Amino acid sequence: MTNSIPSLVEQLARELKARGLMMATAESCTGGLIAGACTEVSGSSDWFERGFVSYSNAAKHELLGVPEALIEQHGAVSEPVARAMAAGAVAHAHAQCSVAVTGVAGPTGGSAEKPVGTVWFGWATPAGVFSEHRRFDGDRSAVRQATVQHALAGLLQRLPNT
């Protein structure tokens, strides 16, 4: 991705404001970095509503309404959980759009099925809920920064046309 995080935030802010939409975040592996990038911009309260840091499975369930059975069946780092997190963020906020991330930032926690760098993304917009899987290389910081960048770019790409 060629766009810097601040540039993506500026673009996203413009597009959300132009459409009269608010966004929320539901973050696990990024621990609030996406919300932090968004609120770095003055005036972000015009388009950023709230962020949920749902690092634990209990937080995913309690804050976002992710069914415990879904986490047990698929694991926290999975497409169904990312989609449920995105939908839950919209349902538990005054926002019409959201981005959700759940992944293995490392250096520990990886497995053969879900190696370090594995991230599932969920995006909710008025057009529906979307998901995508990525695997990023690098250390913990690099994985988290790449996740923030991809999350913002992904929401920007999925915003409905006005």
Side-chain angles (χ1 to χ4, degrees):
M1 287 181 211
T2 56
N3 285 339
S4 70
I5 290 171
S7 172
L8 285 168
V9 170
E10 287 177 22
Q11 291 174 56
L12 187 57
R14 260 193 320 275
E15 296 300 325
L16 287 166
K17 287 189 335 188
R19 291 166 173 77
L21 298 172
M22 297 292 285
M23 75 169 279
T25 60
E27 302 181 63
S28 186
C29 61
T30 50
L33 292 174
I34 300 168
C38 290
T39 59
E40 188 73 24
V41 176
S42 178
S44 56
S45 60
D46 291 340
W47 53 273
F48 184 85
E49 207 275 326
R50 73 181 72 181
F52 299 93
V53 177
S54 54
Y55 206 72
S56 71
N57 291 345
K60 289 172 182 65
H61 174 69
E62 293 165 10
L63 297 175
L64 301 168
V66 177
E68 291 172 323
L70 200 65
I71 296 170
E72 289 171 19
Q73 183 177 3
H74 299 281
V77 180
S78 65
E79 181 178 21
V81 170
R83 293 176 67 87
M85 288 172 66
V90 168
H92 292 89
H94 302 283
Q96 302 79 33
C97 301
S98 72
V99 57
V101 295
T102 181
V104 184
T108 61
S111 67
E113 301 86 30
K114 298 172 186 177
V116 169
T118 300
V119 181
W120 274 100
F121 296 83
W123 295 277
T125 74
V129 177
F130 308 90
S131 56
E132 192 171 275
H133 166 263
R134 284 282 186 267
R135 174 128 186 274
F136 300 112
D137 293 323
D139 64 9
R140 183 176 182 83
S141 178
V143 168
R144 287 165 44 114
Q145 288 301 308
T147 299
V148 171
Q149 190 173 32
H150 190 74
L152 294 168
L155 181 56
L156 189 58
Q157 292 168 353
R158 289 165 176 83
L159 288 177
N161 293 327
T162 53

